[in-house]
Amino acid sequence: MEILILGLVRGALYSLIAVGFVLVFSVGGILNLAHGTYYMLGAYLTFIFCSLVFQSASTGGLLLSAALSLLSVGLIAALVYQVLLRPNIQSVTYVMVMTLALALFASEIMSLLFGVSGASIPSLVEGNTRIGSVKVVNQQLVLIPVVLCILPGLWLFLKKTRMGQGIDAVAQQRLAAILAGVDADRALLMTYSLSAVMAACAGILIAPVSSVVPDMWLFPLIKAFAIAILGGMGSLVGAVIASFLMGYAEVFTSFLIGEHLSEMLALVVIALVLIVKPSGILGQKMR
């Protein structure tokens, strides 16, 4: 039961991180190495709004801080895309170098402002819940209903709205979408911002039970990369499946061997999948 619940929670977290990463790749064909930065900014901006601006740890204050954090991250991502990425978006090397530089720069800024020891954010839902013989932190359990709302909501957005259908069309066949009148540049801008907001949401939800530190951007980036490769680069369904496979695999490894080795699993997955099945579960073969 403990493995079942903890794997579900970890898989929900990973899916929230990885789906946005894969969505940007499928629409723009770019590897966004700043993806983890938005995860970090979501946590830090919530801390700033909650502790420094509103100075309130109430549920209302936390929810307002989280909402403003998501809005801020979305605007920051849009600005980053327009100013730094858009001028040379066709260059894979430029985008990778620029987004990595952005991640390192943001990490250094947070170190200067808040130090390397980290910050703390109050839990949105306090206490624990006992499920059978397993006691789970309520803040972690919040991830499950949130993901159950966000992922179907994302699917409905992509399939049922005009903007979402444009994004979906660009992801499937960019040239045909452009010929059909879709603004591919606007679609990528919206995708990049949406991806950043999803990563920030994951950072906000896990921050109360994790460490809010300047180098926390590296963890989601490695996980997102491993999950994208395992699920298949460009496949959103593959990313969701791979997220839960990764979550349960890490929990099993942690129980059987040790938590310190479970963190190495993502790197092992990347190597094995590239050797054995480069296309991943549902994606196209990487070139």
Side-chain angles (χ1 to χ4, degrees), residues 16 47 67 90 136 182-183 188 205 253:
L16 202 54
F47 166 75
Q90 299 302 323
V136 187
V182 176
D183 187 339
L188 184 52
L205 290 174
T253 304

Side-chain angles (χ1 to χ4, degrees), residues 170-181:
V170 174
Q172 292 184 37
Q173 180 51 257
R174 181 183 178 87
L175 181 57
I178 293 174
L179 293 175

Side-chain angles (χ1 to χ4, degrees), residues 228-235 273-286:
I229 292 175
L230 177 60
M233 295 299 290
S235 172
V273 173
L274 288 176
I275 293 171
V276 177
K277 197 176 187 297
S279 62
I281 297 172
L282 295 176
Q284 300 291 325
K285 184 174 181 179
M286 292 182 66

Side-chain angles (χ1 to χ4, degrees), residues 117-180:
S117 58
S120 61
I121 299 175
S123 294
L124 182 63
V125 183
E126 299 285 351
N128 306 298
T129 296
R130 184 169 292 278
I131 304 175
S133 59
V134 183
K135 187 166 68 173
V136 187
V137 178
N138 286 335
Q139 182 65 37
Q140 291 180 307
L141 288 176
V142 170
L143 278 162
I144 298 172
V146 168
V147 168
L148 287 176
C149 291
I150 289 179
L151 294 185
L154 177 63
W155 183 86
L156 289 172
F157 170 73
L158 293 175
K159 301 300 181 182
K160 302 298 181 181
T161 68
R162 183 166 183 173
M163 173 57 70
Q165 289 171 348
I167 292 173
D168 194 33
V170 174
Q172 292 184 37
Q173 180 51 257
R174 181 183 178 87
L175 181 57
I178 293 174
L179 293 175

